[in-house]
Amino acid sequence: MAITALAAGAALTWHIRSGTETNHSANDTGAAVQREAVRSPSSLTTPETQAHPPAMKQQSPGSKSLDAHSPMLAYENSEDLAQVVEQLSPAAQSGDWQAKWMLARAFDECFPQVADPTLYGKIRASAHELPPEVQADMLRHLNRSEHRCRQLIASGQVTRTKVLESFDVALRTENLANRATSLVNSPESMSENDAKAMIRQIVESRDPWAIWALSEVMGETEDGANEYGPFSGSKVDRWAWKFVACALGYPCGPDSAEVRRLCVTQGHCASQALEGVVQQAFLTPAEFKEAIGKRDELLGIIAAGNVQSIFR
């Protein structure tokens, strides 16, 4: 579809993300978004999942609770990202790592409209080529993103330099998610035993943001090796870990930033939460069934406190 090519082409300097996604649906255009050297846990980027163990409904002691005061939810639920930037800047300056990440994601979300002010107009003009239900979802996500970004763009704060600098600041803050990100970016920096110890610590924390970042460590490898056990080494494993993060509280609903990004930048639009989008666009039926099975197995392992068994 021309729509996806437009979005990808205009975002050459925007997407500071990692991971390669393959679309198995009839809507695949083969368009790829340019990646840069800095990688963010937003892609390191499913619906609120089906029933899972009751123990998963609560954050473990000491983990970052995703409540109404969470920087993540401030970003996810906002209709005005300028207010989010103003609200979270003091916390970010005080060292709150999640506030730093949400500031970076706010600038990142709005930058395509600055890089090409005609982008969304071009997408809207081409939307008639889409099936009606896909067109409706595309326009819904476009309208919301445009509305969220209007005041922040008007403030003049959204620049390519600002996006890069804000991600750099966020990455330099010590937390479990950034430790996972560092393993993705520099796998040679840690021995296998140290990497496994870090992975175990992240999984035991039940921190959805860190487990989302961990999914990139556990995903596809160049040689297809599953060096971190049977829940690693493939795109199925990558999505299974993301589904686990969703079950633990990472925002993955139909109006989440992750679903919006997949729609606006890649044309994978659906009135579903992320799991449904993945089922439609990124995995075959057999792969999706396997990913769901691994998700459920992982949630059971976490609930039982038997994390070491993920390396069996």
Side-chain angles (χ1 to χ4, degrees), residues 66-280:
L66 298 182
D67 59 20
H69 303 292
S70 161
M72 180 183 285
L73 293 189
Y75 165 76
E76 286 282 341
N77 297 331
S78 176
E79 296 302 326
D80 184 354
L81 291 180
Q83 290 183 357
V84 169
V85 169
E86 181 179 2
Q87 173 187 342
L88 296 183
S89 289
Q93 291 168 6
S94 297
D96 186 314
W97 69 268
Q98 200 177 92
K100 292 179 181 180
W101 272 115
M102 294 307 103
L103 291 181
R105 293 185 72 175
F107 292 123
D108 184 43
E109 178 175 338
C110 298
F111 184 71
Q113 298 175 59
V114 174
D116 180 2
T118 68
L119 172 63
Y120 281 12
K122 292 174 184 176
I123 296 176
R124 284 192 178 89
S126 300
H128 66 275
E129 302 173 19
L130 299 170
E133 64 280 6
V134 178
Q135 177 180 338
D137 287 316
M138 172 68 81
L139 295 178
R140 174 172 60 85
H141 285 300
L142 280 174
N143 291 340
R144 184 160 190 238
S145 183
E146 199 169 49
H147 180 73
R148 278 162 57 91
C149 290
R150 185 171 292 121
Q151 294 303 318
L152 188 57
I153 291 173
S155 73
Q157 299 180 69
V158 184
T159 66
R160 187 178 191 280
T161 298
K162 185 71 171 179
V163 174
L164 291 170
E165 286 179 348
S166 61
F167 275 121
D168 183 59
V169 168
L171 277 165
R172 286 190 278 108
T173 306
E174 176 61 26
N175 58 78
L176 286 175
N178 281 357
R179 292 188 67 194
T181 304
S182 68
L183 184 56
V184 175
N185 289 339
S186 305
E188 71 285 351
S189 66
M190 195 176 296
S191 71
E192 182 177 338
N193 285 339
D194 287 345
K196 286 183 175 181
M198 183 201 72
I199 291 168
R200 187 167 56 248
Q201 181 184 11
I202 288 172
V203 178
E204 287 174 344
S205 77
R206 306 188 185 189
D207 183 326
W209 180 271
I211 290 174
W212 184 271
L214 178 66
S215 68
E216 297 300 322
V217 178
M218 307 302 274
E220 304 96 313
T221 57
E222 290 184 5
D223 58 4
N226 58 343
E227 59 183 318
Y228 299 127
F231 298 100
S232 70
S234 73
K235 65 182 176 182
V236 168
D237 295 309
R238 176 175 178 258
W239 285 114
W241 282 101
K242 289 188 186 297
F243 295 164
V244 169
C246 292
L248 293 173
Y250 193 92
C252 301
D255 293 315
S256 65
E258 296 299 338
V259 169
R260 184 166 58 253
R261 178 181 68 83
L262 290 176
C263 178
V264 173
T265 68
Q266 298 186 36
H268 304 312
C269 303
S271 297
Q272 302 179 60
L274 187 52
E275 201 171 278
V277 178
V278 172
Q279 182 178 20
Q280 261 189 13

Side-chain angles (χ1 to χ4, degrees), residues 16-31:
I16 308 172
R17 297 192 165 98
S18 71
T20 302
E21 292 136 343
T22 303
N23 180 5
H24 294 282
S25 75
N27 293 334
D28 183 19
T29 67

Side-chain angles (χ1 to χ4, degrees), residues 1 3-15 19-23 28-35 261 265-268:
M1 286 174 216
I3 238 171
T4 307
L6 281 170
L12 290 181
T13 58
W14 173 39
H15 273 284
T20 302
E21 292 136 343
T22 303
N23 180 5
D28 183 19
T29 67
V33 177
Q34 178 74 23
R35 267 74 175 178
R261 178 181 68 83
T265 68
Q266 298 186 36
H268 304 312

